[in-house]
Amino acid sequence: MTKIGNSALGKFGFLSFILLLIPLANTAIAQQDFQLQATVSENKIFIGEQFNLHVEVIGTSMRDVSLPQLQEIDGIGILSSTPSRSSSISIVNGHTTTSTTYTFGLIARTTGFFTIPPVTIQIDGEEYRTESIDVEVIEKGQLSEDGRRQLPDIFLEVEIDQQNPVPGQQIIASIELYFKQGIEVTSFQPNAGWRTDGFWKEELQNIRQPQAESVILEGVRYRTATLMRYALFPTRSGELTLSEFPLNVGIRTQSSRNDPFGSFFGSAGSQRRVTLESEPLAVNVRNLPNAPSGLPINAVGNMSVERILTDDHAAVGETLELTTRISGEGNIPLVRKPEYNFPDNLEQYTPQESSNIERRGLTISGEKTFTELLSPRAPGTYEIPAERVAIYDPENRNYQYVDLPALKFTVDPGNMAQNQSSFANGMRLQPVTGLAVWHQPASSAIFTKVWFWLLLVIPFAALIAAARKKRLLMKLTTDKKFARAHRAEEVARERLDYARSIVDNGDAKEIYNTLHKALFGYLTDKFGLPEAGLSDAELMNHVKESKIHESQQTQIKKILEKCATISFAPSGDRTDFRSDILKTEKLITELNNQL
């Protein structure tokens, strides 16, 4: 009996133990009824080519999945820290399977072997990590196993026309797109952030619609098109580097048209957007030889120089304008004012500077004008000595000289001195004779009269206003930074008026270039920053550090980005143009109340 009783009790205990394990087993299964995996679209990538990292969660039910976190990767850039997301649900034989995929866009920037680290993701509150993935980045043109150079289906290059320039010499940088037959380019848009450290940069306005040509590369037929051109001017000698040029390209395969830059509509095929980057490009900038003689003005190119004095007569205390005009082709925006030798007793004020730059064609041209105010402090005959100005000719590798003749002018004592002289010589005062009839006025204190106080206050008010006006004019003349800030709104509105005047022409590129100049120039004038050679990103750093409200900082960024986008890929109609002009004008008005 005892034996039987013990056996029944043992069986009951074993059955209870099994029943207790079932919920635990179900929990374990529930915790593992999904798959987590990471894959890449390509394991071997060309430098400058985009590829994708996919993180996929597959399970039997919808789960609480957080955004995956990807660490920085040496030699590989992450195009966006926030991945795109897609989901799908499939039902097979009554079984439901859900799939959520997160995609990171990556771009190869350095050749070599690299490891994409594990991606961290939270599923139902628990943290999981994917396996690491090894990839190889190869150079364009690297030999394959069969001895042939390898090239991607589509790639970008920056090509320059001068390999060994001198500081100030113009370089034409062409943005060239190469793509295989069967690929149609539907759109392109440069990304902000092309760093040209050590160069002053200007976009050349000479390409309306890119035209593709056929070329053979390593026995394979490609199409190539020049998308845009820039004029670059080195600002120092040594080895300088042009960073990767980033570009978003919309492409369609299995094109049904011969025009590779045809309309976005009209053919069925695979459409997608890819991000491309050119390889960094090193430029060896030679030293600029010293000029044997003449005034150095940092001029490189084919230019002429003239200087004009407004008048050859003046009075003591009056001002004369000395204008120096430099015009031609070359680094006009970077030219400096000649430092003349002025005679004694001639007061000089801070010169005003203006420029008119032409960006059409393949050469930067235009003129730059320096206006100096001169005020003689003593009468006599003055002479501004003759000068020789040196201009470097990069084609012939020597200096050309422009001789400026001497300028003479005469200074008279002035009206004030003449009046003082006439009083010093004496004036005979004649009595006034005639019949005078006297009336006894009512007795009242003179300070109770309104006219008394008006006569007393008005001269002082006029004197104070005149003094303030004089100080303002003097500061505008001597303080260039203050003058720019003072005229910032006026200059911006002139540019906006010009943008309005060309709306009916429908030239989107010119309109948005002008809007960009209006807002960009207003901010650089207010902040006292150089307008030339400053990127939008660098300007936004100054905006963020200023007292501008955060909402208006966002508006500034949006307008600058839209101007940059549309200037490269013109679009929109007249209604859009007028709306954006009004938005820019309203923003500048609001900023003017803060700055």
Side-chain angles (χ1 to χ4, degrees), residues 434-451:
L435 182 62
V437 179
W438 298 92
H439 297 277
Q440 182 68 28
S443 61
S444 60
I446 192 172
F447 55 81
T448 63
K449 304 296 183 182
V450 175
W451 58 265

Side-chain angles (χ1 to χ4, degrees), residues 88-134:
S88 64
I89 300 176
S90 64
I91 302 175
V92 180
N93 296 327
H95 296 284
T96 302
T97 302
T98 64
S99 173
T100 303
T101 302
Y102 298 90
T103 301
F104 290 92
L106 308 178
I107 193 160
R109 289 180 173 158
T110 307
T111 58
F113 292 91
F114 301 97
T115 298
I116 298 176
V119 178
T120 303
I121 188 170
Q122 286 192 351
I123 303 174
D124 293 337
E126 296 290 334
E127 186 174 284
Y128 297 89
R129 295 162 67 89
T130 66
E131 298 291 334
S132 59
I133 302 174
D134 295 328

Side-chain angles (χ1 to χ4, degrees), residues 282-510:
V283 182
N284 184 25
V285 182
R286 297 179 287 114
N287 290 321
L288 184 66
N290 295 325
S293 61
L295 296 177
I297 59 172
N298 196 40
V300 179
N302 182 18
M303 305 181 199
S304 61
V305 184
E306 63 174 343
R307 67 177 181 179
I308 303 171
L309 197 60
T310 53
D311 202 347
D312 56 2
H313 281 85
V316 171
E318 292 182 349
T319 57
L320 295 169
E321 284 190 1
L322 176 64
T323 301
T324 303
R325 184 175 293 106
I326 304 168
S327 58
E329 297 179 346
N331 64 335
I332 293 289
L334 302 179
V335 169
R336 296 195 297 263
K337 184 186 73 68
E339 298 298 333
Y340 301 129
N341 295 312
F342 290 105
D344 295 335
N345 291 327
L346 195 61
E347 189 173 357
Q348 304 136 43
Y349 298 97
T350 302
Q352 299 295 312
E353 178 183 317
S354 63
S355 58
N356 180 22
I357 307 301
E358 182 66 44
R359 300 171 180 83
R360 301 187 184 277
L362 297 178
T363 306
I364 293 292
S365 61
E367 68 175 27
K368 195 167 190 178
T369 303
F370 301 95
T371 303
E372 300 176 79
L373 294 180
L374 309 176
S375 179
R377 296 193 293 264
T381 299
Y382 291 77
E383 179 178 314
I384 301 175
E387 299 283 5
R388 167 171 281 195
V389 177
I391 301 173
Y392 186 76
D393 181 358
E395 292 187 4
N396 298 318
R397 296 195 174 190
N398 58 19
Y399 277 93
Q400 305 294 325
Y401 297 95
V402 178
D403 292 317
L404 303 177
L407 299 174
K408 296 182 179 181
F409 60 97
T410 303
V411 178
D412 299 326
N415 294 332
M416 185 177 296
Q418 292 177 4
N419 293 338
Q420 292 174 348
S421 176
S422 64
F423 279 110
N425 292 335
M427 296 180 63
R428 295 186 61 190
L429 301 178
Q430 299 293 332
V432 179
T433 60
L435 182 62
V437 179
W438 298 92
H439 297 277
Q440 182 68 28
S443 61
S444 60
I446 192 172
F447 55 81
T448 63
K449 304 296 183 182
V450 175
W451 58 265
F452 169 78
W453 291 105
L454 290 175
L455 291 177
L456 185 65
V457 171
I458 289 175
F460 283 104
L463 184 63
I464 294 172
R468 289 181 176 177
K469 183 69 173 179
K470 183 178 179 181
R471 284 198 298 270
L472 176 62
L473 292 175
M474 182 67 69
K475 195 170 184 181
L476 289 172
T477 305
T478 57
D479 190 339
K480 183 178 178 180
K481 184 177 180 180
F482 174 80
R484 287 181 61 196
H486 184 77
R487 295 192 66 245
E489 184 182 15
E490 178 186 350
V491 173
R493 293 193 181 278
E494 289 176 356
R495 288 169 170 168
L496 291 173
D497 290 340
Y498 172 71
R500 285 194 183 91
S501 69
I502 60 176
V503 165
D504 291 335
N505 298 338
D507 189 348
K509 189 171 185 179
E510 181 68 17

Side-chain angles (χ1 to χ4, degrees), residues 120-330:
T120 303
I121 188 170
Q122 286 192 351
I123 303 174
D124 293 337
E126 296 290 334
E127 186 174 284
Y128 297 89
R129 295 162 67 89
T130 66
E131 298 291 334
S132 59
I133 302 174
D134 295 328
V135 296
E136 181 185 4
V137 180
I138 62 175
E139 292 184 0
K140 302 183 187 78
Q142 181 171 317
L143 296 179
S144 62
E145 294 179 359
D146 59 2
R148 297 184 60 183
R149 293 181 66 212
Q150 302 178 79
L151 294 173
D153 293 343
I154 181 169
F155 61 94
L156 191 69
E157 287 192 355
V158 175
E159 300 177 358
I160 58 176
D161 65 339
Q162 298 289 337
Q163 298 294 333
N164 301 106
V166 296
Q169 181 177 353
Q170 176 180 304
I171 304 171
I172 297 177
S174 302
I175 312 303
E176 302 284 345
L177 181 66
Y178 292 85
F179 49 98
K180 283 185 178 180
Q181 291 281 74
I183 294 178
E184 179 183 355
V185 178
T186 59
S187 64
F188 65 90
Q189 177 183 334
N191 293 340
W194 187 37
R195 300 192 313 276
T196 54
D197 299 339
F199 294 87
W200 180 76
K201 176 181 65 178
E202 276 285 353
E203 183 193 357
L204 294 171
Q205 303 171 359
N206 62 326
I207 299 178
R208 293 291 182 182
Q209 179 73 9
Q211 300 296 322
E213 299 178 353
S214 180
V215 295
I216 302 295
L217 299 178
E218 300 303 316
V220 179
R221 185 173 297 279
Y222 278 80
R223 308 295 299 280
T224 179
T226 302
L227 304 184
M228 60 200 75
R229 292 190 180 96
Y230 292 89
L232 304 177
F233 298 88
T235 57
R236 61 178 184 266
S237 59
E239 185 171 303
L240 306 180
T241 301
L242 295 173
S243 70
E244 304 89 349
F245 188 95
L247 186 76
N248 283 328
V249 183
I251 63 173
R252 179 193 297 130
T253 57
Q254 300 176 358
S255 172
S256 63
R257 296 189 177 186
N258 292 326
D259 180 10
F261 286 92
S263 168
F264 182 83
F265 304 99
S267 67
S270 174
Q271 300 186 45
R272 58 192 175 101
R273 294 191 66 83
V274 296
T275 299
L276 304 175
E277 285 186 356
S278 65
E279 295 185 44
L281 185 63
V283 182
N284 184 25
V285 182
R286 297 179 287 114
N287 290 321
L288 184 66
N290 295 325
S293 61
L295 296 177
I297 59 172
N298 196 40
V300 179
N302 182 18
M303 305 181 199
S304 61
V305 184
E306 63 174 343
R307 67 177 181 179
I308 303 171
L309 197 60
T310 53
D311 202 347
D312 56 2
H313 281 85
V316 171
E318 292 182 349
T319 57
L320 295 169
E321 284 190 1
L322 176 64
T323 301
T324 303
R325 184 175 293 106
I326 304 168
S327 58
E329 297 179 346

